[in-house]
Amino acid sequence: MQSLRMIEDWPVPNAAAAVVRGADGALLGGHGPQQHLFPLASVTKLLTSYAVLVAVEEGVFELDDPAGPEGSTVRHLLAHTSGLAFDEHRVMAPPGDRRLYSNAGFDVLARTLSEAAGIEFGRYAAEAVFEPLGMRSTMINTAHRSPAGAGGLSTVGDLALFAAELQSPKLLDASTLRTATREVAFPGTSGVLPGFGHRRPNDWGLGFEIRGDKAPHWTGTTSSAGTFGHFGQSGTFLWVDPAAGVACVALTDRDFGPWAAEVWPPFTDAVLAELRG
């Protein structure tokens, strides 16, 4: 795909990207070092969330089991509505009241799973998600880093496999994935979309941001409202556009900033335009 060559002009040391078709998981195009290991930052939350959803289906715990602050559940933590602060284990609001994007909440989520399953979270994620999908280079290191972001490392090649799973799941029941990615959790909840300001509402599923009508946004101006995914502060993103039937992964090694908000949307628009022919 010629549109992927746009990453050559991004002001970053290294970049790689890929586009994956939803119907059959086929790799439609890739550019840049597909096996280069990049820090994922908050794109890690997609992997953490998927491991949690697998755990729910395996009966390790349930979405509405208590977790986090008083009144909060696993569902609240996934949807950033537990009331926990951004990077502190400090309660800022009642559960379900506001969409407070919280790394601390994902730390609690991983710890809750680990305690319920009796296995370290990074190991659980590897056995439940990475190994079955053949994601051999992907890891979440929770020994000294957070499962919310800093602990995640992967390649475009591995995340292309994950992007295929997000469009045609083999590890989850399709209805579970649909709930997590297509249905807004705690509808009408407002909050800050990191890097882009306050959004009313700030739609989110279970671990997956749902684009809705947010503008400006890190995806494209032509992305459908049903587009879901996540971006990371290490200059990374993964989105799935169900209307277009494709997913796109882009990883870099430059921290998110104005450069990303400038180049990512036209890149996504170019990818979608090329696919439309």
Side-chain angles (χ1 to χ4, degrees):
M1 292 183 62
Q2 289 302 307
S3 54
L4 297 185
R5 300 186 69 88
M6 291 173 67
I7 67 174
E8 295 177 2
D9 297 324
W10 290 2
V12 300
N14 295 285
V19 173
V20 180
R21 185 166 57 203
D24 55 6
L27 182 67
L28 298 182
H31 194 68
Q34 301 291 289
Q35 301 307 318
H36 183 85
L37 199 63
F38 288 92
L40 298 181
S42 284
V43 171
T44 306
K45 289 185 176 72
L46 299 183
L47 305 176
T48 295
S49 298
Y50 218 74
V52 168
L53 294 171
V54 170
V56 169
E57 287 201 347
E58 290 184 341
V60 173
F61 50 23
E62 296 183 4
L63 286 172
D64 294 318
D65 281 353
E70 184 177 355
S72 173
T73 65
V74 171
R75 188 188 305 273
H76 284 105
L77 292 168
L78 281 169
H80 296 286
T81 57
S82 71
L84 284 173
F86 175 62
D87 258 334
E88 300 177 72
H89 292 265
R90 179 163 54 95
V91 177
M92 303 289 291
D97 188 57
R98 294 160 58 191
R99 188 89 64 193
L100 292 173
Y101 184 85
S102 178
N103 290 330
F106 268 69
D107 290 341
V108 173
L109 194 59
R111 186 168 64 249
T112 301
L113 189 155
S114 181
E115 291 172 353
I119 181 174
E120 186 269 327
F121 178 77
R123 185 68 248 155
Y124 186 92
E127 293 180 3
V129 182
F130 310 152
E131 291 169 9
L133 294 179
M135 298 169 66
R136 295 182 177 85
S137 299
T138 303
M139 66 193 77
I140 300 177
N141 177 7
T142 57
H144 304 290
R145 294 179 177 273
S146 170
L153 296 169
S154 191
T155 66
V156 165
D158 272 14
L159 289 185
L161 298 172
F162 184 61
E165 168 72 11
L166 291 177
Q167 297 177 91
S168 183
K170 297 178 177 62
L171 305 183
L172 285 180
D173 187 87
S175 64
T176 300
L177 182 60
R178 190 178 307 111
T179 297
T181 61
R182 309 288 186 92
E183 298 179 14
V184 177
F186 306 97
T189 311
S190 300
V192 172
L193 177 63
F196 291 89
H198 196 272
R199 293 292 178 268
R200 188 186 303 272
N202 190 16
D203 288 348
W204 224 276
L206 298 178
F208 296 80
E209 188 210 340
I210 299 174
R211 189 188 194 286
D213 60 1
K214 298 169 192 164
H217 195 257
W218 56 273
T219 60
T221 60
T222 59
S223 297
S224 72
T227 297
F228 62 87
H230 220 294
F231 80 89
Q233 286 293 322
S234 56
T236 56
F237 69 73
L238 187 162
W239 56 252
V240 177
D241 190 331
V246 295
C248 183
V249 179
L251 303 180
T252 79
D253 48 12
R254 181 183 178 185
D255 287 350
F256 174 85
W259 72 268
E262 180 179 338
V263 303
W264 285 354
F267 169 78
T268 291
D269 286 340
V271 168
L272 294 173
E274 182 173 357
L275 291 169
R276 289 193 298 267

